[in-house]
Amino acid sequence: MGHDHDHHGQDHDHGHSHVHEANESNLKRVMVALVLTGAFMVVEIVGGIISGSLALLADAGHMLTDTMALALAAMAFYVCRRPPDGKLTFGYQRFQILAAFVNGLSLIAVVGWILFEAVNRFLSPNEILGETMLAVATAGLVVNLLSFAVLHTGDQENLNIRGAALHVAGDLLGSVAAIVAAIVIIYTGWTLIDPILSVAVAALILKSAWSLVKRSAHVLLEGAPEWLNREVMQERIVRGVPGVGEIHHVHVWGLTPQQLMLTMHMSLSEKGQSQTDVLRDVKQFLLDEYGIGHATIEVDVEGCSDQQIR
Protein backbone atom coordinates (compact mmCIF):
# COMPACT_ATOMS: atom_id res chain seq x y z
CA MET A 1 0.00 0.00 0.00
CA GLY A 2 1.35 3.44 -0.85
CA HIS A 3 0.54 7.01 0.04
CA ASP A 4 1.58 10.01 -2.00
CA HIS A 5 1.29 13.51 -0.61
CA ASP A 6 3.85 15.23 -2.81
CA HIS A 7 3.18 17.96 -5.33
CA HIS A 8 5.16 18.92 -8.38
CA GLY A 9 7.32 21.59 -6.79
CA GLN A 10 7.11 24.04 -9.67
CA ASP A 11 3.32 23.84 -9.98
CA HIS A 12 2.86 23.97 -6.20
CA ASP A 13 5.12 27.00 -5.79
CA HIS A 14 3.58 28.72 -8.77
CA GLY A 15 0.09 28.12 -7.39
CA HIS A 16 0.97 29.55 -3.98
CA SER A 17 2.70 32.53 -5.63
CA HIS A 18 -0.36 33.20 -7.77
CA VAL A 19 -2.69 33.01 -4.76
CA HIS A 20 -0.43 35.32 -2.75
CA GLU A 21 -0.30 37.92 -5.57
CA ALA A 22 -4.07 37.72 -6.07
CA ASN A 23 -4.69 38.21 -2.34
CA GLU A 24 -2.35 41.22 -2.24
CA SER A 25 -4.21 42.80 -5.17
CA ASN A 26 -7.59 42.01 -3.61
CA LEU A 27 -6.49 43.51 -0.27
CA LYS A 28 -5.48 46.78 -1.95
CA ARG A 29 -8.81 46.97 -3.80
CA VAL A 30 -10.83 46.38 -0.63
CA MET A 31 -8.79 49.01 1.26
CA VAL A 32 -9.51 51.62 -1.45
CA ALA A 33 -13.23 50.83 -1.29
CA LEU A 34 -13.11 50.92 2.52
CA VAL A 35 -11.59 54.42 2.59
CA LEU A 36 -14.05 55.76 -0.01
CA THR A 37 -17.11 54.25 1.69
CA GLY A 38 -16.06 55.25 5.21
CA ALA A 39 -15.27 58.83 4.18
CA PHE A 40 -18.57 59.33 2.37
CA MET A 41 -20.49 57.82 5.29
CA VAL A 42 -19.31 60.79 7.39
CA VAL A 43 -20.39 63.21 4.63
CA GLU A 44 -23.82 61.57 4.47
CA ILE A 45 -24.32 61.80 8.23
CA VAL A 46 -23.49 65.53 8.15
CA GLY A 47 -25.78 66.04 5.14
CA GLY A 48 -28.60 64.17 6.85
CA ILE A 49 -28.30 66.23 10.03
CA ILE A 50 -28.18 69.53 8.14
CA SER A 51 -31.15 68.68 5.90
CA GLY A 52 -33.12 66.81 8.52
CA SER A 53 -33.48 63.96 6.03
CA LEU A 54 -34.21 60.62 7.63
CA ALA A 55 -33.58 58.97 4.26
CA LEU A 56 -29.97 60.16 4.19
CA LEU A 57 -29.38 59.21 7.82
CA ALA A 58 -30.85 55.78 7.13
CA ASP A 59 -28.56 55.34 4.12
CA ALA A 60 -25.63 56.45 6.28
CA GLY A 61 -26.52 53.61 8.64
CA HIS A 62 -26.47 51.27 5.64
CA MET A 63 -23.03 52.56 4.68
CA LEU A 64 -21.83 52.04 8.25
CA THR A 65 -22.75 48.37 7.87
CA ASP A 66 -20.92 48.26 4.54
CA THR A 67 -17.84 49.93 6.04
CA MET A 68 -17.69 47.23 8.70
CA ALA A 69 -18.20 44.56 6.03
CA LEU A 70 -15.34 45.95 3.94
CA ALA A 71 -13.14 46.08 7.05
CA LEU A 72 -13.95 42.41 7.67
CA ALA A 73 -13.09 41.57 4.05
CA ALA A 74 -9.78 43.42 4.34
CA MET A 75 -8.97 41.64 7.58
CA ALA A 76 -9.72 38.29 5.90
CA PHE A 77 -7.22 38.98 3.11
CA TYR A 78 -4.65 40.09 5.69
CA VAL A 79 -5.14 37.03 7.91
CA CYS A 80 -5.02 34.55 5.00
CA ARG A 81 -1.45 35.69 4.27
CA ARG A 82 -0.30 33.90 7.42
CA PRO A 83 1.52 30.62 6.71
CA PRO A 84 0.19 27.23 7.88
CA ASP A 85 1.03 26.28 11.46
CA GLY A 86 0.53 23.40 13.86
CA LYS A 87 -3.09 24.35 14.57
CA LEU A 88 -4.19 25.22 11.03
CA THR A 89 -2.08 22.95 8.85
CA PHE A 90 -3.78 24.08 5.63
CA GLY A 91 -3.27 27.74 6.49
CA TYR A 92 -5.76 30.58 6.85
CA GLN A 93 -7.24 30.78 3.34
CA ARG A 94 -10.64 29.58 4.57
CA PHE A 95 -11.00 32.78 6.64
CA GLN A 96 -11.94 34.55 3.38
CA ILE A 97 -14.91 32.21 2.97
CA LEU A 98 -16.00 32.77 6.56
CA ALA A 99 -15.86 36.55 5.96
CA ALA A 100 -17.93 36.16 2.78
CA PHE A 101 -20.52 34.10 4.69
CA VAL A 102 -20.76 36.73 7.47
CA ASN A 103 -21.03 39.50 4.88
CA GLY A 104 -23.83 37.64 3.12
CA LEU A 105 -25.74 37.29 6.39
CA SER A 106 -25.19 40.97 7.18
CA LEU A 107 -26.62 41.90 3.76
CA ILE A 108 -29.75 39.89 4.56
CA ALA A 109 -29.99 41.75 7.88
CA VAL A 110 -29.66 45.07 6.00
CA VAL A 111 -32.54 44.00 3.73
CA GLY A 112 -34.68 43.29 6.80
CA TRP A 113 -33.85 46.72 8.22
CA ILE A 114 -34.69 48.45 4.90
CA LEU A 115 -38.06 46.67 4.75
CA PHE A 116 -38.79 47.61 8.37
CA GLU A 117 -37.99 51.28 7.67
CA ALA A 118 -40.06 51.18 4.46
CA VAL A 119 -43.13 49.96 6.34
CA ASN A 120 -42.70 52.74 8.92
CA ARG A 121 -42.47 55.35 6.14
CA PHE A 122 -45.59 54.00 4.48
CA LEU A 123 -47.45 54.34 7.78
CA SER A 124 -45.90 57.68 8.75
CA PRO A 125 -44.51 59.57 5.74
CA ASN A 126 -41.61 61.89 6.59
CA GLU A 127 -40.92 65.34 5.17
CA ILE A 128 -37.81 65.18 2.97
CA LEU A 129 -35.74 68.07 1.60
CA GLY A 130 -35.48 66.92 -2.01
CA GLU A 131 -32.70 69.31 -3.13
CA THR A 132 -30.31 68.35 -0.33
CA MET A 133 -31.18 64.69 -0.77
CA LEU A 134 -30.43 64.92 -4.51
CA ALA A 135 -27.05 66.61 -3.96
CA VAL A 136 -25.85 64.10 -1.37
CA ALA A 137 -27.25 61.11 -3.28
CA THR A 138 -25.48 62.24 -6.47
CA ALA A 139 -22.18 62.55 -4.62
CA GLY A 140 -22.83 59.11 -3.15
CA LEU A 141 -23.41 57.68 -6.62
CA VAL A 142 -19.99 58.91 -7.77
CA VAL A 143 -18.24 57.47 -4.70
CA ASN A 144 -20.04 54.13 -5.00
CA LEU A 145 -19.27 53.91 -8.73
CA LEU A 146 -15.58 54.37 -7.97
CA SER A 147 -15.66 51.76 -5.19
CA PHE A 148 -17.60 49.28 -7.33
CA ALA A 149 -15.23 49.75 -10.28
CA VAL A 150 -12.23 49.05 -8.03
CA LEU A 151 -13.79 45.87 -6.63
CA HIS A 152 -15.48 44.65 -9.83
CA THR A 153 -12.19 44.62 -11.74
CA GLY A 154 -10.76 42.30 -9.06
CA ASP A 155 -10.99 38.51 -8.84
CA GLN A 156 -14.71 37.80 -9.22
CA GLU A 157 -14.19 34.10 -8.42
CA ASN A 158 -13.06 35.13 -4.94
CA LEU A 159 -16.11 34.97 -2.66
CA ASN A 160 -14.66 37.57 -0.29
CA ILE A 161 -14.32 40.08 -3.14
CA ARG A 162 -17.83 39.17 -4.34
CA GLY A 163 -19.22 39.82 -0.86
CA ALA A 164 -17.51 43.21 -0.63
CA ALA A 165 -18.64 44.13 -4.16
CA LEU A 166 -22.24 43.16 -3.32
CA HIS A 167 -22.24 45.51 -0.33
CA VAL A 168 -21.02 48.37 -2.53
CA ALA A 169 -23.51 47.39 -5.25
CA GLY A 170 -26.26 47.71 -2.64
CA ASP A 171 -25.06 51.23 -1.87
CA LEU A 172 -24.87 51.96 -5.59
CA LEU A 173 -28.47 50.88 -6.13
CA GLY A 174 -29.46 52.84 -3.04
CA SER A 175 -27.85 55.98 -4.47
CA VAL A 176 -29.67 55.55 -7.80
CA ALA A 177 -32.96 55.00 -5.97
CA ALA A 178 -32.33 58.06 -3.78
CA ILE A 179 -31.62 60.23 -6.86
CA VAL A 180 -34.84 59.08 -8.56
CA ALA A 181 -36.80 59.55 -5.35
CA ALA A 182 -35.33 63.03 -4.80
CA ILE A 183 -36.27 64.13 -8.34
CA VAL A 184 -39.83 62.84 -7.89
CA ILE A 185 -40.11 64.55 -4.50
CA ILE A 186 -38.77 67.87 -5.88
CA TYR A 187 -41.26 67.97 -8.76
CA THR A 188 -44.31 66.25 -7.23
CA GLY A 189 -43.86 66.28 -3.44
CA TRP A 190 -44.80 62.57 -3.37
CA THR A 191 -42.60 61.23 -0.55
CA LEU A 192 -43.90 57.64 -0.71
CA ILE A 193 -41.66 57.08 -3.73
CA ASP A 194 -38.75 56.79 -1.28
CA PRO A 195 -39.93 53.63 0.57
CA ILE A 196 -41.27 52.11 -2.68
CA LEU A 197 -37.87 52.31 -4.35
CA SER A 198 -36.18 51.15 -1.15
CA VAL A 199 -38.21 47.92 -1.27
CA ALA A 200 -37.23 47.38 -4.91
CA VAL A 201 -33.55 47.82 -4.07
CA ALA A 202 -33.91 45.50 -1.07
CA ALA A 203 -35.31 42.75 -3.31
CA LEU A 204 -32.28 42.97 -5.63
CA ILE A 205 -29.85 42.93 -2.70
CA LEU A 206 -31.61 39.92 -1.15
CA LYS A 207 -31.24 37.83 -4.32
CA SER A 208 -27.49 38.44 -4.51
CA ALA A 209 -26.98 38.06 -0.75
CA TRP A 210 -28.73 34.69 -0.68
CA SER A 211 -26.55 33.47 -3.56
CA LEU A 212 -23.42 34.55 -1.67
CA VAL A 213 -24.54 32.82 1.54
CA LYS A 214 -25.31 29.59 -0.34
CA ARG A 215 -21.96 29.53 -2.18
CA SER A 216 -19.86 30.34 0.88
CA ALA A 217 -21.79 27.86 3.04
CA HIS A 218 -21.19 25.18 0.39
CA VAL A 219 -17.43 25.77 0.65
CA LEU A 220 -17.51 25.85 4.48
CA LEU A 221 -19.35 22.50 4.43
CA GLU A 222 -16.57 21.15 2.18
CA GLY A 223 -18.91 20.53 -0.71
CA ALA A 224 -17.56 19.50 -4.10
CA PRO A 225 -17.29 22.24 -6.75
CA GLU A 226 -20.71 22.78 -8.29
CA TRP A 227 -19.34 22.37 -11.82
CA LEU A 228 -17.64 19.04 -11.07
CA ASN A 229 -19.21 15.69 -12.04
CA ARG A 230 -17.33 13.20 -9.88
CA GLU A 231 -18.39 10.10 -11.82
CA VAL A 232 -17.29 11.63 -15.14
CA MET A 233 -13.96 12.65 -13.60
CA GLN A 234 -13.33 9.10 -12.37
CA GLU A 235 -14.10 7.66 -15.81
CA ARG A 236 -11.79 10.17 -17.50
CA ILE A 237 -8.91 9.30 -15.17
CA VAL A 238 -9.30 5.54 -15.80
CA ARG A 239 -9.52 6.06 -19.57
CA GLY A 240 -6.95 8.83 -19.86
CA VAL A 241 -4.13 7.77 -17.52
CA PRO A 242 -2.30 4.51 -18.36
CA GLY A 243 -1.87 2.11 -15.47
CA VAL A 244 -4.97 3.14 -13.50
CA GLY A 245 -7.29 0.29 -12.57
CA GLU A 246 -10.22 1.13 -10.28
CA ILE A 247 -10.94 4.40 -8.46
CA HIS A 248 -13.15 4.79 -5.38
CA HIS A 249 -13.52 6.74 -2.11
CA VAL A 250 -13.21 10.00 -4.07
CA HIS A 251 -13.63 13.24 -2.10
CA VAL A 252 -13.21 16.70 -3.65
CA TRP A 253 -13.50 20.01 -1.82
CA GLY A 254 -11.77 23.37 -1.62
CA LEU A 255 -10.15 25.65 0.92
CA THR A 256 -11.55 28.31 -1.42
CA PRO A 257 -13.22 27.88 -4.82
CA GLN A 258 -9.79 28.44 -6.39
CA GLN A 259 -7.81 26.02 -4.18
CA LEU A 260 -9.24 22.57 -4.78
CA MET A 261 -8.22 19.42 -2.91
CA LEU A 262 -8.83 15.71 -3.47
CA THR A 263 -8.40 12.39 -1.70
CA MET A 264 -9.10 9.00 -3.29
CA HIS A 265 -8.19 5.32 -3.43
CA MET A 266 -6.79 3.83 -6.61
CA SER A 267 -5.69 0.41 -7.79
CA LEU A 268 -3.19 -0.32 -10.57
CA SER A 269 -4.31 -2.11 -13.72
CA GLU A 270 -1.28 -4.42 -13.75
CA LYS A 271 1.04 -5.74 -11.07
CA GLY A 272 4.64 -4.63 -11.19
CA GLN A 273 3.84 -1.12 -12.40
CA SER A 274 5.64 1.83 -10.86
CA GLN A 275 3.29 3.39 -8.32
CA THR A 276 5.27 6.62 -8.42
CA ASP A 277 4.93 7.00 -12.20
CA VAL A 278 1.18 6.32 -12.22
CA LEU A 279 0.58 8.61 -9.25
CA ARG A 280 2.57 11.38 -10.91
CA ASP A 281 0.55 11.02 -14.12
CA VAL A 282 -2.77 11.04 -12.23
CA LYS A 283 -1.81 14.14 -10.27
CA GLN A 284 -0.70 15.92 -13.43
CA PHE A 285 -4.02 14.99 -15.08
CA LEU A 286 -5.98 16.34 -12.10
CA LEU A 287 -4.00 19.59 -12.17
CA ASP A 288 -4.22 20.11 -15.93
CA GLU A 289 -7.85 19.10 -16.44
CA TYR A 290 -9.51 20.12 -13.16
CA GLY A 291 -7.16 22.61 -11.47
CA ILE A 292 -6.78 20.33 -8.44
CA GLY A 293 -3.36 21.17 -7.02
CA HIS A 294 -3.44 19.12 -3.80
CA ALA A 295 -4.22 15.43 -4.26
CA THR A 296 -3.67 12.70 -1.65
CA ILE A 297 -3.97 9.28 -3.29
CA GLU A 298 -3.84 5.88 -1.59
CA VAL A 299 -2.86 2.96 -3.80
CA ASP A 300 -4.66 -0.30 -2.99
CA VAL A 301 -2.27 -3.20 -3.57
CA GLU A 302 -4.21 -6.09 -2.00
CA GLY A 303 -7.74 -4.76 -1.75
CA CYS A 304 -9.05 -1.62 -0.06
CA SER A 305 -7.46 -1.13 3.34
CA ASP A 306 -10.56 0.66 4.66
CA GLN A 307 -12.64 -2.47 4.15
CA GLN A 308 -10.14 -4.49 6.18
CA ILE A 309 -10.38 -2.26 9.28
CA ARG A 310 -12.50 -3.72 12.07
Side-chain angles (χ1 to χ4, degrees):
M1 184 192 312
H3 293 268
D4 194 302
H5 298 267
D6 295 333
H7 301 280
H8 297 294
Q10 183 177 359
D11 294 329
H12 187 61
D13 292 341
H14 174 74
H16 275 282
S17 175
H18 175 72
V19 170
H20 177 74
E21 291 174 4
N23 283 339
E24 287 296 318
S25 174
N26 289 333
L27 175 59
K28 291 178 182 178
R29 292 176 186 279
V30 171
M31 288 301 296
V32 170
L34 173 61
V35 171
L36 289 172
T37 303
F40 187 74
M41 176 191 69
V42 176
V43 173
E44 200 164 38
I45 291 174
V46 174
I49 293 174
I50 293 175
S51 66
S53 171
L54 178 61
L56 290 180
L57 290 174
D59 195 50
H62 183 195
M63 293 194 78
L64 174 61
T65 303
D66 290 349
T67 300
M68 291 188 293
L70 289 168
L72 177 61
M75 183 176 70
F77 283 123
Y78 180 79
V79 169
C80 76
R81 296 189 301 183
R82 296 175 61 181
D85 54 36
K87 293 183 178 179
L88 292 175
T89 57
F90 281 120
Y92 291 76
Q93 294 294 326
R94 186 64 70 83
F95 194 85
Q96 302 176 48
I97 310 302
L98 183 60
F101 182 72
V102 172
N103 275 340
L105 291 179
S106 69
L107 276 167
I108 294 175
V110 167
V111 168
W113 179 76
I114 291 174
L115 294 177
F116 176 78
E117 284 296 316
V119 170
N120 285 338
R121 293 181 190 183
F122 275 122
L123 297 176
S124 303
N126 298 304
E127 181 181 355
I128 300 174
L129 300 179
E131 290 81 3
T132 304
M133 181 181 178
L134 179 60
V136 177
T138 302
L141 177 63
V142 174
V143 171
N144 289 322
L145 280 172
L146 288 173
S147 296
F148 186 75
V150 168
L151 293 173
H152 192 65
T153 52
D155 181 8
Q156 290 306 297
E157 291 302 312
N158 186 290
L159 291 181
N160 199 29
I161 279 286
R162 284 175 63 88
L166 282 176
H167 272 278
V168 175
D171 282 331
L172 183 59
L173 291 172
S175 295
V176 172
I179 289 173
V180 173
I183 293 173
V184 171
I185 290 170
I186 290 171
Y187 287 99
T188 69
W190 188 46
T191 58
L192 287 180
I193 185 65
D194 185 43
I196 290 174
L197 290 179
S198 296
V199 171
V201 170
L204 294 175
I205 296 174
L206 180 61
K207 181 180 178 181
S208 298
W210 182 244
S211 175
L212 179 64
V213 168
K214 283 180 60 179
R215 287 194 62 189
S216 54
H218 185 76
V219 176
L220 290 173
L221 292 172
E222 299 192 343
E226 297 173 357
W227 50 265
L228 177 67
N229 186 314
R230 191 176 61 176
E231 288 73 20
V232 171
M233 181 183 72
Q234 292 178 220
E235 293 175 4
R236 290 190 64 199
I237 295 173
V238 173
R239 291 199 313 265
V241 181
V244 176
E246 182 191 5
I247 293 175
H248 57 282
H249 287 355
V250 178
H251 300 279
V252 186
W253 73 102
L255 291 178
T256 70
Q258 297 80 30
Q259 294 175 274
L260 299 182
M261 313 185 78
L262 172 145
T263 64
M264 72 179 188
H265 285 213
M266 177 186 76
S267 64
L268 303 181
S269 59
E270 297 179 11
K271 291 185 177 181
Q273 291 176 303
S274 169
Q275 292 185 17
T276 302
D277 291 342
V278 177
L279 284 170
R280 183 183 300 114
D281 292 342
V282 171
K283 289 193 171 193
Q284 192 64 52
F285 182 89
L286 290 170
L287 181 63
D288 294 341
E289 299 296 323
Y290 291 94
I292 298 174
H294 186 116
T296 302
I297 303 173
E298 180 174 328
V299 178
D300 297 327
V301 179
E302 297 178 357
C304 179
S305 60
D306 286 357
Q307 295 176 354
Q308 300 170 10
I309 297 176
R310 293 290 183 265

